[in-house]
Amino acid sequence: MVELKSDTALAAMREAGRVVANALAACEDTAAVGVSLLDLDEVARGVLKAAGATSPFLGYRPAFAPVPFPAVICASVNDAVVHGIPDGYRLRDGDLVSIDCGALLDGWAGDAAVSFTVGTARPEDTALIAANRRALEAGIAAAVVGNRLGDISHAIGTVARASRYGMPEGFGGHGIGRRMHEDPHLPNEGRPGRGYPLRPGLVLAIEPMLIAGGRDACDTDPDGWTLRTADGSRATHVEHTVAITEEGPRILTLP
């Protein structure tokens, strides 16, 4: 069931989103050659704790997962697309990193992700990140009253395919509110004018994921969580929580 949020709820979600933005910024600021993924998870934990927030990631176990998720961030490096489990891996010069983080504050959720490079950036990674951000921006721009979910999906997919990048099949955004994952599912590719109508109070986590090699195929690691490109090419993931309002899309996961 799709729940439309009141102005009061949107204000509360904005505060949860601010915590997410601060956690992501702290992770990106900390990331450097030699820093471990577990170090980044500890940084995010500290931001959540200081804000009085909890993590919707920690202990989360959807039907596909063999074990509950053990961290407050997903840390996906190089050919990992999403859902990477933070471990002792220490970042190296040129690594491409995607960090996904959520927060629960006063009963409401926020969810966002960023991609960045550590140390010396490869030009092709810079281009991939830029294209992913353009895809996200296009999706947000389409998140207006009167459009449908398919218009957001089409906007994202058009940017990705024009840049000749792949996208993992079946993955996309979602509704968000009192829980991190709510209806409706938001594909990252689709037909305009189709799907659930966009109404004021609908809140969506819009999250394109792009694969440099151009193929969509991915495999899941033995940990049951980490999604990795089948061809070994690099991937990125960016995300914002966005509210549909009469005044236009409102990004809730800004600092």
Side-chain angles (χ1 to χ4, degrees):
M1 184 179 73
V2 176
E3 177 192 4
L4 302 179
K5 279 70 177 180
S6 66
D7 289 343
T8 300
L10 293 184
M13 291 188 71
R14 176 68 182 100
E15 294 311 307
R18 199 185 312 274
V19 175
V20 173
N22 291 339
L24 289 173
C27 286
E28 187 169 355
D29 288 345
T30 303
V33 174
V35 173
S36 77
L37 300 182
L38 284 174
D39 292 335
L40 299 184
D41 189 66
E42 284 300 318
V43 166
R45 287 174 189 253
V47 173
L48 295 181
K49 182 177 180 180
T54 58
S55 170
F57 289 18
L58 185 63
Y60 180 59
R61 188 179 182 183
F64 69 80
V67 295
F69 196 77
V72 304
I73 62 169
C74 297
S76 305
V77 180
N78 296 331
D79 64 334
V81 187
V82 288
H83 301 162
I85 297 176
D87 57 18
Y89 176 82
R90 295 192 176 276
L91 295 170
R92 301 171 183 173
D93 187 54
D95 275 346
L96 176 56
V97 182
S98 297
I99 303 293
D100 190 0
C101 184
L104 289 170
L105 183 67
D106 297 328
W108 295 97
D111 187 11
V114 295
S115 290
F116 56 87
T117 52
V118 174
T120 307
R122 300 181 183 183
E124 57 268 32
D125 290 344
T126 301
L128 180 63
I129 293 170
N132 206 338
R133 289 174 178 166
R134 290 197 305 273
L136 175 60
E137 289 164 3
I140 293 171
V144 296
V145 174
N147 273 356
R148 292 178 175 266
L149 284 180
D151 293 298
I152 299 176
S153 303
H154 179 71
I156 291 170
T158 297
V159 172
R161 299 307 187 188
S163 302
R164 298 188 176 181
Y165 292 129
M167 293 185 291
E169 294 183 29
F171 285 77
H174 50 87
I176 183 171
R178 292 194 178 275
R179 293 177 291 110
M180 177 173 60
H181 289 149
E182 296 184 351
D183 292 332
H185 173 64
L186 174 60
N188 280 331
E189 195 166 25
R191 297 175 64 184
R194 299 296 182 93
Y196 189 84
L198 304 184
R199 300 185 175 119
L202 177 64
V203 185
L204 300 168
I206 303 176
E207 50 178 324
M209 309 152 198
L210 301 191
I211 299 171
R215 296 176 56 196
D216 297 349
C218 293
D219 300 310
T220 302
D221 277 2
D223 63 22
W225 280 98
T226 307
L227 187 72
R228 202 172 295 276
T229 62
D231 62 4
S233 64
R234 294 189 171 203
T236 53
H237 172 213
V238 294
E239 176 183 14
H240 271 308
T241 295
V242 180
I244 313 299
T245 77
E246 292 286 6
E247 295 75 33
R250 184 186 306 168
I251 301 174
L252 303 181
T253 42
L254 293 172

